[in-house]
Amino acid sequence: MSSTSLTASAMRIGAIELPNRLFVAPMAGVTDRPFRQLCKQLGAGYAVSEMVTSRKDLWHSLKTSRRANHEGETAPIAVQIAGTDATMMAEAAAYNIDRGAQVIDINMGCPAKKVCNKWAGSALMQDEPLALQIVEAVVAACLPHKVPVTLKMRTGWSQAHRNAVRIARAAEQAGVAMLTVHGRTREQGYTGQAEYDTIAAVKDAVRVPVVANGDITSPEKALAVLRHTGADAIMVGRAAQGRPWIFGDIAHYLATGAHRAPPQTEQVKRWLLAHLEDHYGLYGEFAGVRTARKHIGWAVRALPGGERFRAHMNTLDSCAAQVQAVTDYFDALSLTHDRLPVTASGPAGGDGMQEAHEAACVAN
Ligand SMILES: Cc1cc2nc3c(=O)[nH]c(=O)nc-3n(C[C@H](O)[C@H](O)[C@H](O)COP(=O)(O)O)c2cc1C
């Protein structure tokens, strides 16, 4: 596969055509509407919402209603649903379609011990009949609305039970329009390295588009994973945290074989300030200032004085003070660095990933 053929032809989910094959991964507590929109603006062709619970009693909670807010988001609007009961999942799909979802994604990839206090996410891979029942019920609920259903999963339950290929075939048979595979088992959580052989095997086994995910942190890695798996698209999660322009970097590399220059410091400041404004608009001042801290922290973590700045910024508790601090930091940096001095900051994985993920997933 040549690098240009990877970007030349259109990619579709059902009848929906996407601008490219570079996706941002759903990350609970991270890929809210402002961050998804920023990634799309900077080169991601597709973004899936953070998971929304299938539990009706939580649909009106502040957290779930924020997650279901798609105001101003560039189409297609893709909503991920999580749960363990087929009827509830079908109802959740219909509910989200009523609120603007154009694609429904089923979460069988989340390693959290409990999603909404029940075994769900990738735990479903251990119960193939239930997994299939859920897929069939969600497809049946979406069909009358002509809304495609997609599935995100891991390579299997454990090293000894890598059943992604079997689940992929059954899901395709049941009408799923696209499959995303994170190259780890559920048992692995975020430890070890993602492997891409199972993703390649899934791609060989089905005709619907397959998306490769896991540990893609650079344009070279993106190309290598596309080549190794033959996947139709790639999905980037942690490497986009604080570096949402990675999608544009990858697109440039796939198209030209060369790296583009790091972004200008002044430009990064403008992106971050616009992101903050959108973020405060969704969360309000109290929650907005606090939840913005992680985004700012990721943005500066690999930059000169970044750690010191992050510690200071975490003590500020108004939008105005946070905006001023970010402005001052980047203004000072641009005096010495016209362009960002460091662009490579791999996934913030390792210790604590599982805990952070679970905290974001459980408390709906
Ligand atoms: C903080 C965090 C939250 C996540 N939340 C979700 C989620 O809601 N749904 C899901 O399918 N995967 C979720 N994931 C998994 C990612 O979508 C992705 O599969 C994983 O991070 C591997 O990709 P990466 O190596 O590019 O980060 C989450 C990951 C992280 C780090």
Side-chain angles (χ1 to χ4, degrees):
M1 198 186 305
S2 78
S3 57
T4 37
S5 71
L6 296 169
T7 45
S9 55
M11 158 98 195
R12 285 174 193 278
I13 304 174
I16 299 173
E17 190 169 318
L18 304 178
N20 66 36
R21 296 157 183 273
L22 310 174
F23 300 178
V24 56
M27 290 181 283
V30 181
T31 49
D32 51 14
R33 189 206 63 208
F35 189 71
R36 292 197 300 276
Q37 191 57 18
L38 180 65
C39 291
K40 285 179 175 176
Q41 182 198 330
L42 299 182
Y46 183 66
V48 185
S49 74
E50 312 159 89
M51 75 176 90
V52 173
T53 174
S54 62
R55 273 181 53 186
K56 271 187 189 161
D57 56 322
L58 296 175
W59 286 348
H60 298 293
S61 74
L62 188 54
K63 188 168 195 170
T64 299
S65 50
R66 275 194 191 122
R67 287 185 179 184
N69 177 326
H70 304 287
E71 277 167 39
E73 188 172 349
T74 309
I77 308 297
V79 174
Q80 186 183 71
I81 56 174
T84 51
D85 179 276
T87 306
M88 286 165 69
M89 287 287 273
E91 286 170 359
Y95 177 83
N96 281 289
I97 291 170
D98 275 354
R99 274 148 198 79
Q102 295 161 308
V103 179
I104 293 289
D105 186 51
I106 300 174
N107 179 338
M108 278 186 210
C110 184
K113 286 208 181 70
K114 293 175 174 181
V115 174
C116 308
N117 301 321
K118 278 265 181 77
W119 290 93
S122 54
L124 283 174
M125 294 187 76
Q126 199 183 23
D127 187 342
E128 289 180 31
L130 176 60
L132 193 60
Q133 220 185 327
I134 288 175
V135 170
E136 284 170 350
V138 172
V139 169
C142 294
L143 208 57
H145 305 277
K146 299 189 169 55
V147 166
V149 176
T150 60
L151 175 66
K152 180 165 178 288
M153 62 179 165
R154 289 192 167 224
T155 53
W157 166 254
S158 65
Q159 183 74 6
H161 297 95
R162 282 206 226 164
N163 54 350
V165 168
R166 214 165 41 237
I167 293 184
R169 283 207 181 102
E172 178 179 49
Q173 202 76 44
V176 157
M178 183 178 80
L179 293 153
T180 300
V181 186
H182 173 192
R184 285 186 176 84
T185 63
R186 187 215 172 268
E187 194 178 60
Q188 277 181 289
Y190 286 92
T191 61
Q193 305 281 315
E195 57 89 8
Y196 306 106
D197 290 345
T198 307
I199 304 179
V202 169
K203 173 63 190 164
D204 278 347
V206 297
R207 298 179 63 181
V208 292
V210 171
V211 185
N213 168 240
D215 297 350
I216 298 172
T217 54
S218 67
E220 288 92 336
K221 185 80 183 271
L223 180 58
V225 171
L226 281 166
R227 285 198 166 133
H228 186 88
T229 58
D232 302 274
I234 49 145
M235 178 179 271
V236 177
R238 290 164 292 169
Q241 295 172 349
R243 197 165 49 132
W245 55 89
I246 189 173
F247 300 99
D249 289 349
I250 294 173
H252 183 84
Y253 185 79
L254 293 181
T256 66
H259 287 281
R260 64 179 186 176
Q264 290 186 315
T265 307
E266 183 59 29
Q267 178 63 72
V268 173
K269 179 184 87 176
R270 284 200 297 270
W271 286 331
L272 186 53
L273 291 178
H275 179 200
L276 289 179
E277 194 181 318
D278 201 8
H279 187 92
Y280 302 146
L282 181 63
Y283 292 97
E285 177 138 14
F286 185 85
V289 168
R290 283 155 186 80
T291 49
R293 287 175 185 157
K294 60 180 175 254
H295 290 284
I296 300 169
W298 288 324
V300 301
R301 69 184 159 190
L303 299 177
E307 260 316 297
R308 204 169 349 107
F309 170 70
R310 200 174 62 83
H312 162 65
M313 187 262 309
N314 284 344
T315 66
L316 305 174
D317 56 12
S318 75
C319 297
Q322 203 170 50
V323 163
Q324 192 59 54
V326 167
T327 305
D328 292 346
Y329 174 81
F330 280 94
D331 283 349
L333 185 65
S334 63
L335 295 177
T336 49
H337 297 85
D338 180 39
R339 292 184 180 272
L340 274 207
V342 179
T343 54
S345 52
D351 292 348
M353 274 312 303
Q354 187 84 13
E355 291 76 6
H357 191 150
E358 289 189 19
C361 294
V362 177
N364 265 278

